[in-house]
Amino acid sequence: ALNLLKLNAQWRAVLRATKARELRRDVAVLSQTLARVLDRKDDVISSLVTDLEEAEAQHARALSSHVHNVDRLLQLQRCRLACLQDGYEAQLRALTSEFETERYRGWGGGQRGCHWVSP
């Protein structure tokens, strides 16, 4: 009975040693697999960071171009508005002058009196 217990204990030790070797091998394989997966993920992250930097640079260029174009349009509209304002003021002066001339003529040049009122 004592020999059987020793035999069983030795057998269990052999099985444990075998299982430990298998587990160490599995851990090594899993470790290598994990390292490869992490390397791939690092590469993807690096690629995404590069893409993001390029997209940010492109966005900055587009924004700068847009702001430049809006500034040019604003300047153009201000010039257009100034031209329209000048035209309006010239027309106003012409109409005012014409009105004053007509009024002056209508009143007889200020010399003959008011012929608009006389029947």
Side-chain angles (χ1 to χ4, degrees), residues 36-112:
R36 282 194 304 271
V37 168
L38 287 177
D39 286 344
R40 274 189 253 135
K41 289 187 185 232
D42 284 343
D43 291 343
V44 168
I45 289 171
S46 258
S47 174
L48 290 173
V49 165
T50 302
D51 291 348
L52 181 61
E53 288 169 351
E54 289 173 3
E56 286 174 342
Q58 183 180 5
H59 176 264
R61 285 190 304 273
L63 180 63
S64 175
S65 175
H66 174 70
V67 167
H68 176 71
N69 288 337
V70 168
D71 285 344
R72 285 179 50 208
L73 285 173
L74 237 137
Q75 182 183 10
L76 182 65
Q77 283 302 97
R78 285 184 182 134
C79 288
R80 188 170 171 255
L81 183 62
C83 287
L84 289 173
Q85 182 73 29
D86 291 345
Y88 168 77
E89 289 172 1
Q91 286 180 353
L92 180 63
R93 283 190 302 274
L95 286 173
T96 302
S97 175
E98 185 180 339
F99 174 75
E100 292 297 326
T101 303
E102 288 294 322
R103 185 168 73 169
Y104 182 73
R105 276 193 217 145
W107 289 97
Q111 298 170 354
R112 290 184 287 184

Side-chain angles (χ1 to χ4, degrees), residues 3-18:
N3 282 339
L4 188 58
L5 286 175
K6 282 185 181 181
L7 187 60
N8 279 338
Q10 287 175 348
W11 180 245
R12 284 186 190 140
V14 168
L15 289 177
R16 278 189 205 120
T18 303

